[in-house]
Amino acid sequence: LIPSGSFLMGSPSSEEDREGNETQHQVTLSRAYYLQVTPVTQGQWQSIMGDNPSKFANGGSECPVEQVSWHDVQDFIGRLNNQTGGGLFRLPTEAEWEYACRAGTSTAYYWGDQMNGAYCWYGENSNHQTHSVGGRHPNRWGLHDMSGNVWEWCEDWYGDYPAGNATDPAGPSSGTYRVSRGGSWYDYARFCRSAYRSRYGPDDRDGDLGFRLARGQQ
């Protein structure tokens, strides 16, 4: 359970390696929500979809599923919601994702301002592959792999941040790309920063691109 609250989304101008699309602004999330402790695994995907599209399928069922497009993920979520009957599972918004990733921190990473491989599978320690979820240290709220292992789809279309404060932002109403967050086994450390924003076309699939589930409260 991720509590409601406010935080500074984006990065300060002093942050090393910051990008121009990380304009810092205050965001309030008015409702608590649930976020999966790890990315969705290959085993979880297979139990719902009956297949395993992952590039690293030989890594084991506890590795994150990847090579799934945003539309593939929506199909997975639809089937999951039909099975559970609740209709509550979804992708997190970009703001929900960063708020949960930071877990109350304002540093470049959720553990500090310098890369620490004890928290993150990234290009320097991953041996060029995904790893079982939950194998690195969690953030303060108990979430694993928010940085590294696989990029994670968010619900939002990609676009510029709002100019001022925002409450429960959901991104632009339309766009070309969907947001992805967190960096991956393939990437340099700077892409694993809490504020870093990436994007893919909603039909794109990649061996470093997965997701985790969010869920509203009943």
Side-chain angles (χ1 to χ4, degrees):
L1 180 65
I2 307 300
S4 59
S6 298
F7 77 115
L8 282 176
M9 188 172 182
S11 61
S13 58
S14 59
E15 185 167 304
E16 187 176 0
D17 294 322
R18 84 183 294 266
E19 302 276 345
N21 62 357
E22 299 171 12
T23 305
Q24 203 168 45
H25 58 294
Q26 182 164 300
V27 169
T28 298
L29 298 175
S30 64
R31 298 179 296 275
Y33 58 98
Y34 290 94
L35 192 65
Q36 192 171 356
V37 170
T38 70
V40 170
T41 65
Q42 295 178 24
Q44 289 168 335
W45 180 274
Q46 190 149 9
S47 71
I48 298 295
M49 304 297 285
D51 65 1
N52 185 0
S54 302
K55 175 180 179 179
F56 298 104
N58 61 353
S61 63
E62 290 301 303
C63 284
V65 71
E66 18 82 10
Q67 291 205 139
V68 290
S69 72
W70 189 91
H71 289 304
D72 295 336
V73 171
Q74 299 304 313
D75 189 12
F76 173 92
I77 289 171
R79 295 191 193 192
L80 177 61
N81 281 329
N82 285 338
Q83 287 190 18
T84 60
L88 295 174
F89 290 103
R90 56 180 175 81
L91 285 173
T93 66
E94 185 178 17
E96 287 174 335
W97 191 97
E98 186 174 326
Y99 177 66
C101 177
R102 289 189 176 281
T105 65
S106 57
T107 47
Y109 307 92
Y110 49 80
W111 55 84
D113 281 319
Q114 301 298 322
M115 172 53 77
N116 182 338
Y119 290 84
C120 179
W121 294 115
Y122 73 116
E124 295 296 316
N125 70 352
S126 70
N127 197 30
H128 309 297
Q129 62 188 22
T130 60
H131 291 263
S132 295
V133 300
R136 304 282 87 180
H137 295 331
N139 71 7
R140 294 179 182 180
W141 290 351
L143 303 171
H144 292 266
D145 299 303
M146 293 295 285
S147 289
N149 218 352
V150 289
W151 290 99
E152 299 180 10
W153 285 113
C154 293
E155 184 66 26
D156 307 31
W157 290 108
Y158 174 83
D160 292 336
Y161 282 152
N165 299 345
T167 298
D168 301 323
S173 59
S174 63
T176 303
Y177 303 101
R178 295 284 184 174
V179 174
S180 60
R181 287 299 209 106
S184 79
W185 60 267
Y186 179 81
D187 290 292
Y188 293 118
R190 65 178 180 270
F191 299 124
C192 300
R193 293 178 301 109
S194 298
Y196 187 82
R197 310 177 71 201
S198 188
R199 56 194 183 271
Y200 285 86
D203 291 316
D204 288 347
R205 300 181 178 96
D206 208 312
D208 63 357
L209 180 59
F211 70 107
R212 77 178 67 214
L213 294 168
R215 197 185 80 191
Q217 288 188 286
Q218 289 179 313

